Amino acid sequence: MAEKNPGGALGAAGRAPAADRADAIRNVVLVGHSGAGKTTLVEQLLATTGTIQRAGRVEDGNTVSDFDEVEVRQQRSVNLSLAPLTHNGIKINLLDTPGYADFTGDLRAGLRAADAALFVVSAAEGIDGLTQLLWEECARVAMPRAVVITKIDHQRADFDEVLTSCQEIFGDGVAPLYLPVITNGHVNGLIGLLTQKFYNYATGGRTEKEPGAEYEAQIEEHRDTLIESIIQESEDESLMERYLAGDAIDTEVLIDDLEKAVARGSFFPVLCSGLGVGTTEVLELITQGFPSPLEHPMPEITTLDGKPVKGITCDPDGPLVAEIVKTTSDPYVGRISLVRVFSGTLRPDMTVHVSGHGLADRGHEDHDVDERIGTLTSPLGKQQRGTARGIAGDIIAVAKLSRAETGDTLSEVDRPLLMTAWQMPDPLLPVAIQARSKADEDKLSQALGRLVAEDPTLRLENNAETRQLVLWCMGEAHTDVLLDRLSKRHGVEVERIELRVPLRETFGGKCQAMGRNVKQTGGHGQFAICHLEVEPLPSGGGFEFVDKIVGGVVPRQFIPSVEKGVRAQMERGVVAGYPMVDVRVTLYDGKAHSVDSSDMAFQIAGQLALKEAASKVSTLLLEPVDELSVLVADDHVGSVMSDLSSRRGRVLGTEPVGTGRTLVKAEVPELEITRYAIDLRSMSHGTGSFHRAFLRYEPLPPHLADKLAASG
């Protein structure tokens, strides 16, 4: 806010910025859709503070935060990255996040590490649905927020229209602090609504002067709205009475109240920026209006056995509690962990306890190990700049923590603690892969282990039924990045293969069959005959084996052998190679030989009898059916319901959720939703989400069953 503390920011190019107290730190996450200008804004802020000599361009692949070769090639952010700088004695940790829905995991990590959010909205493209959802997510935890409208110098920019959209979509408390002054498509400067000063950028720097008379009406309109919004959030109830009575409210009083309202998460100032314009104002809002780590609520902390721990604060002298918000594997440096220190102080060469819990279903085994801290650095893009320590409230990088993964807690060895994990979205796009060669197969397991350690949104599945290696991803773009990293970073070539959905078989009716295993040779032979009655059970009935042998026609010791053989054949299937379920098998007759009968002979007879039964009566292929809960905006409900019906789904009903959203519940076969994560995103313009859970098995339609049986 240039009104309160004008003055430049002196960065320290080449040196890592450092802070010796928590109130001199600001952790800010930049949020917005892909292409809104987050990375460009980071570049401009770094250049304004002298942290870098000149701002890079996404198109040229030379920006600080998009340094990964995938990001350079695709010209978009796919990773959370840290860009520290200093302004007026305050260290600012800027967290640049991806704007594409596939990389929500990194975005959630940025929200966890930050104390405030800067929502970046393009003056040319406006607000997308994902940005709106993220705003609502921040609102639920009362995270302080501000809005920066970027690209105000773009030929399609419409600041007024986008400002109106922000106020309509983001709700109450959204008001501009500055108005851009644009002449013939060129941004000359900004008007500060509180001080009513014109900040002129036309000459390259920033100078201050009085605005012209032609802006008086515009200033008065927006200024009145701004002052009313600030006063409504003020703790001084007399201000509103004085304002309504016509008294002039001192600008310093208004700014103090504005800062308090921003820190509480109840007032959301709007700023604007273009090429070379508005960065100083953004820096001053961050340093003066955003809260320090001291004001941010501490996440829930427990002992390793789940007992709550109270009294821990953001104190450099307190017990160590830190969290790994991002893990990367560098082929030359090794594993690098980006760490937010919530309490205590991290120092090189100290030994810490590493705790990881709660993501076992995604391939992250629970672990509790002691590890030695290596070098501490303050990363700026590819550059790792050494730092002496990381105090409570700061974000730093730690090298070579061999067991640490994203989401793990670092604490003292003699007082191990655990931070409650932040919520991660479920990966819902299954992709089956296989190594391209034997050499790739040998390296694949280790490479996948590193990817899983880095990315908690990735789930690795070795499906025992289909014998496929399946990556559960967030979407197609996420999949592409993972496969690219396997190839380029880890030197492992894989190829996608068709995903197999695990089906089941069952009998369509009741029948009797005989299994005859009689082989006489010159030596010891085989002799086993069993008569079985086979009948289907209701869905979910499993397997029942009934013994109705009388008179000892099958000796007691061989009855379990028949059951064992039947079970083995059921696992292999009798038609298309899928496991058989929901069957009752009754052993009611048979024959044995005193010498040639054996355990194995009766196992084989049981298998043969089950195969014989399958030739006498129809068998059914069963497909898994999932219960699907789809959350979409009201405008997309019709499209979603129609699409679910086209997938052989049964829509069970709908119910409103909050304002403007509907939850659609349906039962849909798994065969029809293997790519639903991609299709729903397309239908809902990126705003829809869904949850799936296995429900039961149902018979496949005959035409699909014949097709799958033939291919199996």
Side-chain angles (χ1 to χ4, degrees):
M1 291 169 290
E3 292 91 338
K4 184 173 182 180
N5 188 8
L10 297 177
R15 293 204 316 266
D20 56 5
R21 63 187 198 280
D23 63 355
I25 298 172
R26 301 292 184 271
N27 297 311
V28 182
V29 59
L30 280 78
V31 178
H33 67 80
S34 186
K38 300 184 298 298
T39 300
T40 299
L41 180 59
V42 169
E43 288 294 305
Q44 293 172 349
L45 294 172
L46 290 170
T48 298
T49 56
T51 309
I52 58 177
Q53 292 184 349
R54 59 179 296 182
R57 298 174 71 247
V58 173
E59 296 80 3
D60 295 337
N62 60 353
T63 62
V64 167
S65 52
D66 284 358
F67 60 89
D68 189 291
E69 59 183 12
V70 176
E71 296 173 313
V72 173
R73 194 162 56 249
Q74 297 185 2
Q75 295 188 1
R76 66 176 177 186
S77 301
V78 301
N79 296 306
L80 171 71
S81 60
L82 175 66
L85 54 86
T86 57
H87 177 77
N88 287 348
I90 301 294
K91 180 184 179 184
I92 303 173
N93 289 316
L94 296 175
L95 293 156
D96 188 13
T97 64
Y100 196 64
D102 277 20
F103 309 107
T104 304
D106 275 49
L107 191 147
R108 294 277 177 87
L111 292 175
R112 174 70 163 213
D115 303 311
L118 206 57
F119 275 74
V120 180
V121 179
S122 167
E125 286 96 19
I127 303 170
D128 73 338
L130 179 62
T131 304
Q132 182 179 353
L133 292 177
L134 291 170
W135 182 274
E136 294 171 1
E137 185 173 327
C138 289
R140 283 193 290 271
V141 296
M143 174 172 274
R145 282 151 283 161
V147 179
V148 179
I149 298 178
T150 58
K151 303 183 183 180
I152 57 174
D153 48 357
H154 194 280
Q155 61 182 4
R156 292 189 289 105
D158 191 331
F159 175 83
D160 293 333
E161 181 180 338
V162 173
L163 173 61
T164 300
S165 296
C166 289
Q167 293 170 326
E168 291 175 350
I169 294 173
F170 294 155
D172 297 336
V174 177
L177 290 183
Y178 301 90
L179 297 178
V181 176
I182 302 175
T183 305
N184 297 325
H186 180 71
V187 181
N188 295 320
L190 307 174
I191 295 176
L193 292 175
L194 289 181
T195 58
Q196 304 178 79
K197 298 292 185 180
F198 174 57
Y199 301 97
N200 185 16
Y201 282 89
T203 58
R206 187 182 78 158
T207 58
E208 180 182 318
K209 65 179 184 179
E210 298 295 323
E214 65 270 25
Y215 299 111
E216 287 182 2
Q218 188 180 14
I219 292 173
E220 183 177 356
E221 175 191 352
H222 285 284
R223 190 172 192 272
D224 287 344
T225 302
L226 173 63
I227 292 175
E228 289 174 8
S229 299
I230 294 172
I231 290 176
Q232 285 177 356
E233 299 296 333
S234 175
E235 297 174 355
D236 185 352
E237 297 179 359
S238 67
L239 282 182
M240 183 61 75
E241 296 178 5
R242 290 168 51 196
Y243 178 72
L244 294 176
D247 293 348
I249 309 299
D250 187 75
T251 301
E252 291 292 326
V253 173
L254 291 173
I255 293 177
D256 286 338
D257 282 334
L258 180 148
E259 293 168 356
K260 293 174 183 175
V262 171
R264 284 198 306 268
S266 57
F267 180 76
F268 317 104
V270 180
L271 299 90
C272 51
S273 77
L275 187 60
V277 177
T279 51
T280 300
E281 288 74 16
V282 172
L283 289 166
E284 288 171 347
L285 171 71
I286 291 173
T287 55
Q288 299 173 32
F290 277 172
S292 74
L294 295 174
E295 302 168 76
H296 187 71
M298 188 72 64
E300 183 180 343
I301 301 171
T302 67
T303 59
L304 298 187
D305 56 2
K307 296 178 181 177
V309 176
K310 304 295 183 184
I312 295 180
T313 61
C314 183
D315 180 3
D317 297 322
L320 177 65
V321 183
E323 188 171 46
I324 297 174
V325 295
K326 176 71 177 177
T327 305
T328 56
S329 296
D330 188 285
Y332 304 105
V333 181
R335 187 171 295 186
I336 299 174
S337 305
L338 191 65
V339 176
R340 163 71 193 259
V341 184
F342 286 91
S343 173
T345 300
L346 268 179
R347 293 183 173 86
D349 297 326
M350 70 185 294
T351 302
V352 299
H353 185 80
V354 181
S355 301
H357 296 266
L359 289 173
D361 62 321
R362 302 191 186 187
H364 301 254
E365 295 182 359
D366 288 351
H367 52 272
D368 290 293
V369 295
D370 293 341
E371 291 206 60
R372 190 180 182 87
I373 294 289
T375 305
L376 299 183
T377 59
S378 178
L380 182 67
K382 294 180 181 179
Q383 187 181 4
Q384 297 288 334
R385 303 167 298 173
T387 187
R389 59 179 180 168
I391 66 168
D394 208 352
I395 303 174
I396 58 172
V398 181
K400 297 182 179 179
L401 288 175
S402 60
R403 287 294 306 276
E405 300 180 354
T406 300
D408 283 2
T409 302
L410 306 182
S411 56
E412 295 172 354
V413 173
D414 56 355
R415 191 184 180 186
L417 299 171
L418 191 64
M419 300 189 75
T420 302
W422 68 86
Q423 184 181 8
M424 276 293 180
D426 292 326
L428 293 168
L429 177 65
V431 178
I433 63 169
Q434 66 181 14
R436 190 163 291 175
S437 67
K438 182 63 171 66
D440 291 319
E441 187 175 340
D442 294 339
K443 297 184 292 183
L444 181 58
S445 178
Q446 185 178 15
L448 287 175
R450 289 175 177 169
L451 290 184
V452 169
E454 296 175 14
D455 188 354
T457 63
L458 168 65
R459 179 161 64 89
L460 183 62
E461 177 190 5
N462 270 302
N463 194 301
E465 292 185 31
T466 63
R467 297 180 180 85
Q468 287 187 321
L469 180 62
V470 181
L471 303 180
W472 286 85
C473 308
M474 295 297 298
E476 197 68 29
H478 188 210
T479 305
D480 291 342
V481 168
L482 291 171
L483 298 186
D484 187 281
R485 284 177 178 161
L486 280 176
S487 173
K488 301 292 195 302
R489 186 184 294 177
H490 301 292
V492 180
E493 297 293 336
V494 299
E495 54 191 20
R496 298 191 195 191
I497 57 177
E498 184 178 355
L499 180 75
R500 296 186 66 196
V501 173
L503 304 181
R504 297 286 186 270
E505 300 176 6
T506 193
F507 284 100
K510 184 176 181 179
C511 71
Q512 292 183 341
M514 179 184 71
R516 187 174 188 273
N517 179 28
V518 178
K519 294 181 180 179
Q520 299 296 330
T521 62
H524 192 67
Q526 295 186 42
F527 190 97
I529 298 174
C530 62
H531 294 265
L532 303 180
E533 182 178 77
V534 179
E535 58 187 311
L537 290 174
S539 178
F543 170 67
E544 293 181 14
F545 184 82
V546 181
D547 172 17
K548 285 190 176 181
I549 292 296
V550 294
V553 291
V554 176
R556 305 308 301 172
Q557 70 267 27
F558 295 138
I559 292 175
S561 303
V562 176
E563 179 181 356
K564 189 175 180 181
V566 169
R567 287 183 179 272
Q569 189 61 51
M570 287 179 63
E571 283 295 316
R572 292 193 293 268
V574 293
V575 177
Y578 297 105
M580 179 164 278
V581 296
D582 302 336
V583 175
R584 177 186 290 122
V585 174
T586 302
L587 175 63
Y588 65 90
D589 198 3
K591 290 182 181 179
H593 189 277
S594 59
V595 176
D596 291 340
S597 290
S598 64
D599 168 67
M600 183 55 66
F602 272 98
Q603 284 190 47
I604 295 172
Q607 296 172 19
L608 294 172
L610 199 67
K611 290 181 179 179
E612 174 70 15
S615 68
K616 288 185 174 183
V617 70
S618 64
T619 55
L620 303 176
L621 273 183
L622 305 177
E623 63 178 336
V625 175
D626 282 1
E627 184 178 44
L628 216 62
S629 298
V630 187
L631 183 62
V632 290
D634 292 345
D635 294 343
H636 305 304
V637 171
S639 300
V640 167
M641 292 176 65
S642 175
D643 177 74
L644 291 174
S645 297
S646 71
R647 297 172 187 268
R648 299 189 287 120
R650 292 183 290 273
V651 177
L652 304 179
T654 63
E655 60 182 75
V657 177
T659 303
R661 285 195 179 83
T662 297
L663 186 68
V664 181
K665 292 189 175 181
E667 297 176 356
V668 190
E670 275 190 26
L671 284 168
E672 304 290 341
I673 55 172
T674 55
R675 294 180 60 83
Y676 192 63
I678 299 171
D679 299 335
L680 177 62
R681 183 171 298 160
S682 176
M683 278 186 289
S684 64
H685 304 292
T687 62
S689 61
F690 74 100
H691 174 75
R692 58 187 282 183
F694 171 75
L695 191 61
R696 60 178 175 271
Y697 277 91
E698 290 185 356
L700 259 173
H703 68 285
L704 292 178
D706 293 342
K707 181 179 178 181
L708 286 172
S711 64

